[in-house]
Amino acid sequence: MIRTGVVIATVIGALLTGGSARAQLNLQQVNVEQIVAQKVQSILPENGGGGGIAVAVRMDGKTEFFNYGLADLAKNHLVTTDSIFNLASVGKLFATTLLAQAVKQGELSLDDPVAKYVTELQRGGDIRRVTLGQLASHTSGLPRVPQQYERWHRGKYTFPDFVRFLNSWKADKEHEPGGQYLYSSTAMILLRVALERRFNTRFATLMQQRLTGPLGMSSTALPLPQDLLCRAVQGYGPMGRPIGRPGAEQETFAWPGAGQIYSSPRDMVTFLIANLGELPDHRPMENAMALAQKGVFDVNPHFKQGLAWQVVTGGNLTIIDKNGGLPNTSTYIGFAPQQKLGVVILVNRGKQHATGIGRQISHALAEDQSKPSTDGAEPDPDID
């Protein structure tokens, strides 16, 4: 298990100077390290196997990074704060944040039909009733992936395949637009297309211009460019077998801008801090983020669905979070807004319980003894 030693060194320095208040604060930071190390133990690879974990904790206005294991076993590269991971479905937050930003600026409405912008869908049937807000909140009724509806389809979906599927899709009582929570990667990809059409700009460029660029998230990209590829982790399956090559997208949707977004722990904690409302120079963006976080559909009494964000209550603690998973990556970002604390977890192995670990860390840091929520926890690996 590999971990940077910055926190411990800081505590020792404080003790040597005799600054009791500062020493007490830093000892609390050591407890953060102990909590994180304890909670991630169950998902660390055994016997030096492939894979590692990056954790970032935001608490009391300060950030701590904790890194364990290997970014690439064959090259003996360690996980670092600047290692770049496939975000899987955590990347959905970028599309919904852009949507919320556009709503706040009066550029579109959550109630706009998607066919208003993706005009090919005006020839369709039930898809014409689906709104942008429904796409963003997993209430559109669209299936998780098109293959669940078109079981005969083989291979990836090109954009013409995608349009054909959407125009032929028929809702039923269990797939009624606005009528139920039904997790859908299909809907989120369609939201990207709608944003591209509204602003006549590729999604990757839109993301950089309106979100990652202003926040200084220079290690976040779609797809991963050559100059960042050297920091991309190798992805591994649950048993430590390499899957794919570093930086490669696992595509269901085969056209530019439809793949997975990549980012680093350092960049994702910047995104987390903005969502906590702790960047005073970015108030308009934070107002948009607050809109995206707001629960818009009651899944059950303890689980509200926002715009990609989940609002879950376990005992006395409410957490707003989002998870992601592919066969070679497991990701999590979440925060307790009242306690002003948050956690990012990036794992370069598939089917690891990042959501459960993230919520356990949050409860422990908040000194809340109640049981963390299991609502919205990891489903089978996403096919983004």
Side-chain angles (χ1 to χ4, degrees), residues 88 189 192 203 222 249-251 253 255-261 384:
I189 293 298
R192 288 189 191 181
F203 180 77
L222 164 74
E249 299 176 46
Q250 298 188 34
E251 300 170 337
F253 306 102
W255 66 85
Q260 292 92 41
I261 297 168
D384 287 353

Side-chain angles (χ1 to χ4, degrees), residues 2-291:
I2 296 92
R3 158 75 177 101
T4 56
V6 174
V7 178
I8 293 174
T10 304
V11 172
I12 293 172
L15 291 173
L16 289 174
T17 59
S20 59
R22 185 179 174 190
Q24 183 179 7
L25 173 63
N26 287 316
L27 282 171
Q28 290 174 351
Q29 292 176 335
V30 170
N31 290 336
V32 173
E33 179 182 19
Q34 291 170 347
I35 288 169
V36 171
Q38 178 190 28
K39 299 302 183 183
V40 303
Q41 190 66 41
S42 64
I43 60 173
L44 282 171
E46 297 179 357
N47 303 320
I53 306 167
V55 181
V57 172
R58 181 72 174 180
M59 187 176 180
D60 297 328
K62 298 180 180 180
T63 303
E64 294 289 346
F65 295 96
F66 307 91
N67 302 309
Y68 309 84
L70 294 165
D72 193 316
L73 177 62
K75 296 179 180 178
N76 198 32
H77 287 174
L78 303 180
V79 169
T80 75
T81 301
D82 294 304
S83 296
I84 293 177
F85 292 76
N86 186 329
L87 294 180
S89 280
V90 166
K92 289 177 169 63
L93 296 172
F94 292 95
T96 58
T97 300
L98 289 172
L99 172 64
Q101 186 183 62
V103 170
K104 280 290 188 179
Q105 294 176 182
E107 296 167 315
L108 46 70
S109 167
L110 293 179
D111 294 329
D112 286 345
V114 64
K116 177 179 178 179
Y117 303 107
V118 187
T119 54
E120 297 95 325
L121 303 183
Q122 293 173 7
R123 301 191 299 270
D126 288 335
I127 193 63
R128 292 181 298 170
R129 298 193 284 125
V130 173
T131 68
L132 299 180
Q134 290 164 355
L135 295 177
S137 60
H138 296 297
T139 57
S140 67
L142 289 168
R144 185 185 185 93
V145 290
Q147 291 93 329
Q148 290 181 333
Y149 186 83
E150 297 184 337
R151 298 187 182 278
W152 50 267
H153 186 91
R154 295 294 178 266
K156 300 175 182 179
Y157 273 74
T158 64
F159 187 70
D161 289 333
F162 191 53
V163 170
R164 174 195 49 73
F165 151 70
L166 292 169
N167 280 336
S168 66
W169 172 73
K170 291 181 173 58
D172 57 35
K173 64 180 181 179
E174 296 179 351
H175 299 80
E176 182 65 22
Q180 69 290 294
Y181 165 79
L182 186 65
Y183 191 90
S184 177
S185 294
T186 302
M188 291 292 181
I189 293 298
L190 180 53
L191 176 60
R192 288 189 191 181
V193 177
L195 290 169
E196 287 186 334
R197 295 295 182 82
R198 168 60 182 85
F199 296 105
N200 193 30
T201 305
R202 290 287 190 185
F203 180 77
T205 303
L206 199 64
M207 184 176 75
Q208 195 282 328
Q209 290 176 345
R210 290 185 160 228
L211 182 57
T212 60
L215 289 178
M217 297 171 61
S218 59
S219 296
T220 304
L222 164 74
L224 202 58
Q226 192 64 37
D227 63 324
L228 296 180
L229 196 57
C230 61
R231 290 196 273 129
V233 299
Q234 171 63 55
Y236 297 90
M239 305 306 293
R241 180 178 63 86
I243 297 179
R245 55 180 175 78
E249 299 176 46
Q250 298 188 34
E251 300 170 337
T252 291
F253 306 102
W255 66 85
Q260 292 92 41
I261 297 168
Y262 280 77
S263 189
S264 68
R266 193 182 304 278
D267 270 16
M268 289 308 296
V269 86
T270 298
F271 186 70
L272 174 67
I273 291 168
N275 274 278
L276 281 165
E278 296 180 354
L279 293 179
D281 294 336
H282 295 278
R283 286 291 179 248
M285 185 178 295
E286 290 178 343
N287 290 337
M289 289 175 166
L291 174 61

